[in-house]
Amino acid sequence: MTASTASTAEKYRPALHFSAQNTWINDPNGLIYHDGVYHLYFQNNPHGNVWGNMSWGHATSEDLLAWTHHPVAIACDENEDIFSGSIVFDRDNNSGLGTAGTAPLVAFYTSAYKPGHARHGIQAQSIAYSLDGGYTWMKHGGNPVIDRGSPEFRDPKVFRYSSAGASYWVMVAVEAQDHQVLLYKSENLLDWEFLSTFGPANATGGVWECPDLFELPVDDDPTRTKWVLIVNLNPGGPNKGSAGQYFVGHFDGTTFASESTVSEVRGGGPLSEYQWLDWGRDYYAAVSFADVPDGRRLMISWMNNWEYANQIPTFPWRSPMSLAREVSLRTVHGRPRLVQAPAFDPGQELESTDRFTQETLQVHDAALRLDQAEGAVQRIELSIDPGTAAEVGLVVRGGENQGTRIGINIAQSRLFVDRRNSGESGFHEAFASLDTAPLRPANGRYELTIFVDHCSVEVFAQGGLVTMTELIFPSPLSTGLSVYASGGSASFHDLSVVRFD
C-alpha cells in the first residue's frame, strides 16, 4: 500500500500516488491491464535511491490506488541495463514464446550494453516473456531483436494495428538525439521491418524519449477518430526541465502525419504554442496502459524532473508516480485537443474522513482561510468567477510562512503554481519556482479540480484541457486551505473539499 501517515522520515510518502518502498524509481514501463489487474512496471534501482542499476520494478493494483509491490521483474546484469519499454499480451502466440494453452506476455525493453560486452555503448531493443501473467520473466535467447548500432535508440512502445483486413504489430521508438520517432512492423514480435520516421517537430530543446502512439475518438464519436503521438522531452519543457508533448494526426499503418505541428525546425517557435501533456515541472515519461477494458486510454507518468530528481528530500524512497489519467480528444476552437481526467474518483474509492462544501464565497481583495476544510491530502473542486479581481486562486498546504499558491492571472490569462514558499526547497537551486500555463475562462468562469498529497499538487483546469503537476515538500503541520482575490472582488462557487488524511 502507498498510504501512510505524515510522520518522521516518511512525512512525504504519498497517500494517493504510487511510490517505491525504499528505492529509486523513474519512467513507468510495461503498463498493461491483464487478468483483472493493472500492472505497473517502472525503471528501478533495486540497490539504492538514486539513479543507477536500471531494472524493471513491478507493482499491481485492482483500482489504481492501492498497490502491491512485487520482486524486481527484469533485472540488470553484468551485460546490460534494462531501460524503458512496453508489454503486450500475445494472445495468439504470434511469437511462439508461449506454450500449449498459455499465451505469453511479451516485454520490449532497451538493452543498454555495458563495458565488456561486444555491443558496449549501444542501445538496442530486446525481449523478455512471461508465462505466469507477468510475475516472472525470461529473456529471449535471440536478443536484441532490433539493433541499429546506435547509442541513443530506445524506449520501444508496441501495439497491435488493425485496419482494412491488415493486422500486425507496430513499434514506436526514438533516436533520442536526432529528435526522431522510428516506426517498425512485425508479424511475430521477433522480426521487425522498418516503416518510417517522424520528426524533428515542435519542442526539440532536449532529447526525445518514451514515445506512445494510439487512436482516440473525437468528441466521443467512434466514427471520427484521430491518432495521438506522445513524445517526452528532456530538457526543454515549457517551465524548464523535462516534460511531455503530443501531436494529433493520422496513422495509416506505415506513417504518422501530424496535423498539429507548429514548427519542423529545431528550436523554432515559442514553447507556449506547442501542445503539452502537462505544464507543470513534474510530469515526465508519460505512457499509456495496454488492454484497458471498454477502450479507455489510461496514462501514468513519473512525477519528478531530471533537473533535481536525484536530490528531492524523500527517504528511503525517491520519486512517486502521477495519478492515473484517462485521456480523450475534444474539439476546441475547431481543432482536436487532448483532455485529461483522473482515471478514478478517490472520493468514491477511498473512505474519506471529511467532506466540506460551500455553494458560494465572496472575497474582496483578501485571503479567506477555510478552517473546516484544512488537510494534507485532499481533492478540491470549485468554479471561480473572477469578477473585478486581477488575480484569484487558492493556497494549499498553508502554514506559518508556508503555502503553495495555485492561481490565475486574469489579464495574462495564465494559470500558475507558485511553490517558492511551499516548504523544503533548498535541496536544489532549480526547485523553488513560479510555473505558468495559458488558461482562458469558459462562460466567464474557471473550473479547477486539484489533488493535494503529502508531496504534490495536480491541477486539472477547464475539464482537464490544461493540467499542471508539481512536487512540494511542506511541513506536516502545514495543512491550511485558503481562497483569495487580489485587486478586486471574486466569487467562488460549488466548492467541494474531500479530505483523506
Side-chain angles (χ1 to χ4, degrees), residues 170-419:
V170 171
M171 177 192 293
V172 289
V174 292
E175 277 287 355
Q177 295 282 5
D178 295 339
H179 306 116
Q180 285 192 327
V181 174
L182 283 66
L183 292 93
Y184 293 81
K185 68 177 288 188
S186 176
E187 301 291 342
N188 61 9
L189 295 171
L190 304 176
D191 303 299
W192 292 88
E193 172 190 343
F194 176 76
L195 292 175
S196 62
T197 63
F198 171 81
N202 288 1
T204 56
V207 295
W208 278 15
E209 294 186 315
C210 302
D212 200 353
L213 181 63
F214 49 83
E215 188 176 20
L216 288 175
V218 179
D219 299 326
D220 297 320
D221 182 354
T223 68
R224 205 160 55 96
T225 65
K226 295 287 185 181
W227 285 79
V228 178
L229 175 64
I230 305 294
V231 182
N232 290 272
L233 174 81
N234 175 50
N239 283 293
K240 298 183 179 179
S242 39
Q245 62 181 324
Y246 71 91
F247 302 86
V248 179
H250 176 68
F251 178 59
D252 62 4
T254 300
T255 303
F256 174 78
S258 170
E259 299 169 4
S260 63
T261 297
V262 175
S263 173
E264 296 180 353
V265 178
R266 285 188 177 91
L271 295 180
S272 61
E273 292 186 7
Y274 305 147
Q275 304 304 326
W276 297 99
L277 283 175
D278 193 284
W279 291 77
R281 298 289 300 281
D282 298 301
Y283 192 85
Y284 189 63
V287 288
S288 66
F289 282 86
D291 299 341
V292 176
D294 302 321
R296 300 174 72 200
R297 183 61 57 172
L298 306 184
M299 301 189 73
I300 199 167
S301 85
W302 179 48
M303 198 158 61
N304 209 337
N305 190 307
W306 278 117
E307 282 197 314
Y308 43 73
N310 285 284
Q311 287 81 39
I312 65 170
T314 59
F315 182 84
W317 60 281
R318 188 170 273 125
S319 296
M321 294 293 181
S322 73
L323 294 176
R325 302 178 180 183
E326 182 168 5
V327 298
S328 57
L329 286 175
R330 182 200 308 165
T331 301
V332 179
H333 302 305
R335 306 185 70 176
R337 293 277 301 277
L338 203 65
V339 295
Q340 303 174 70
F344 53 83
D345 181 358
Q348 296 177 355
E349 301 288 346
L350 294 178
E351 182 177 350
S352 171
T353 60
D354 195 13
R355 184 183 297 264
F356 171 84
T357 60
Q358 184 73 44
E359 186 173 339
T360 302
L361 289 168
Q362 300 285 343
V363 181
H364 176 72
D365 204 18
L368 176 63
R369 180 156 178 157
L370 307 174
D371 291 332
Q372 294 175 289
E374 67 178 19
V377 184
Q378 304 170 308
R379 184 200 65 199
I380 304 167
E381 296 179 304
L382 76 163
S383 175
I384 304 175
D385 182 341
T388 61
E391 181 180 307
V392 294
L394 307 87
V395 176
V396 302
R397 297 303 306 268
E400 186 175 355
N401 301 318
Q402 197 170 102
T404 298
R405 196 160 51 110
I406 302 169
I408 301 160
N409 183 307
I410 307 304
Q412 295 179 6
S413 298
R414 304 292 291 187
L415 171 71
F416 64 83
V417 176
D418 183 353
R419 63 181 184 185

